[in-house]
Amino acid sequence: RRKPHYAYELTPEAERLFPKAYDELLNELLSKLKGRISAEALGEALSEVGRSLAARWTREDSPSEGASIEERARRVLEMIELLGGVAELRAEADGWVIDSRICPFAAVVSQHPEVCRVVASLVAEAIGEGYRVYGSCDRVEWPHCWFKLAESRAGG
């Protein structure tokens, strides 16, 4: 037997048809937290969640020490999938790009864009030192993000 030739994914409209009480819960929880703590404290807490998940998932499977940037990036794809997202990796002339076509927190980021920090910090933590990670989140139609991975240069 072999793998199927086609991959299917739900459209944003179909995704909304599946009930997810945790979306409503997280939206409400974040709204309440915003009324109680500073935006800076909330942002740092969300970043810490991403770092913690990456550290835990990296420890559980295999250490990233000695892994190539491509191997680390492929591990990030798995982490994004564990969160419920869909991402792909592509090579570019000056590095790698992780393109998260389906955001794992799509139902939340439109009301609480700071939640994007969870995935951004997860990516940075999983990629590790020696690499620059920068990205962008697009929340216009259906939320998705991308992250550019490049080797750090001495002095830069």
Side-chain angles (χ1 to χ4, degrees), residues 56-105:
R56 185 178 80 209
W57 288 337
T58 300
R59 273 194 313 270
E60 286 177 358
D61 285 353
S62 63
S64 60
E65 287 183 37
S68 70
I69 185 68
E70 181 181 3
E71 292 168 327
R72 293 176 190 209
R74 290 201 184 283
R75 182 63 188 121
V76 169
L77 297 182
E78 294 171 13
M79 291 178 188
I80 290 172
E81 287 180 10
L82 285 170
L83 291 171
V86 174
E88 61 185 16
L89 180 65
R90 69 177 181 273
E92 293 191 347
D94 56 345
W96 293 88
V97 173
I98 294 172
D99 186 2
S100 181
R101 296 176 297 134
I102 297 178
C103 174
F105 306 116

Side-chain angles (χ1 to χ4, degrees), residues 13-131:
E13 294 78 24
E15 182 72 25
R16 290 186 194 113
L17 295 175
F18 292 93
K20 295 179 188 153
Y22 59 83
D23 294 343
E24 290 183 41
L25 172 67
L26 186 54
N27 271 316
E28 191 63 26
L29 176 62
L30 288 167
S31 293
K32 298 302 179 201
L33 284 173
K34 284 180 177 180
R36 294 180 183 208
I37 63 175
S38 70
E40 185 177 309
L42 178 60
E44 183 51 41
L46 292 168
S47 292
E48 183 62 30
V49 168
R51 288 190 296 271
S52 295
L53 288 171
R56 185 178 80 209
W57 288 337
T58 300
R59 273 194 313 270
E60 286 177 358
D61 285 353
S62 63
S64 60
E65 287 183 37
S68 70
I69 185 68
E70 181 181 3
E71 292 168 327
R72 293 176 190 209
R74 290 201 184 283
R75 182 63 188 121
V76 169
L77 297 182
E78 294 171 13
M79 291 178 188
I80 290 172
E81 287 180 10
L82 285 170
L83 291 171
V86 174
E88 61 185 16
L89 180 65
R90 69 177 181 273
E92 293 191 347
D94 56 345
W96 293 88
V97 173
I98 294 172
D99 186 2
S100 181
R101 296 176 297 134
I102 297 178
C103 174
F105 306 116
V108 178
V109 298
S110 59
Q111 291 180 33
H112 306 285
E114 58 276 3
V115 171
C116 293
R117 291 180 69 167
V118 173
V119 177
S121 61
L122 179 142
V123 172
E125 180 74 19
I127 294 301
E129 294 183 19
Y131 297 95

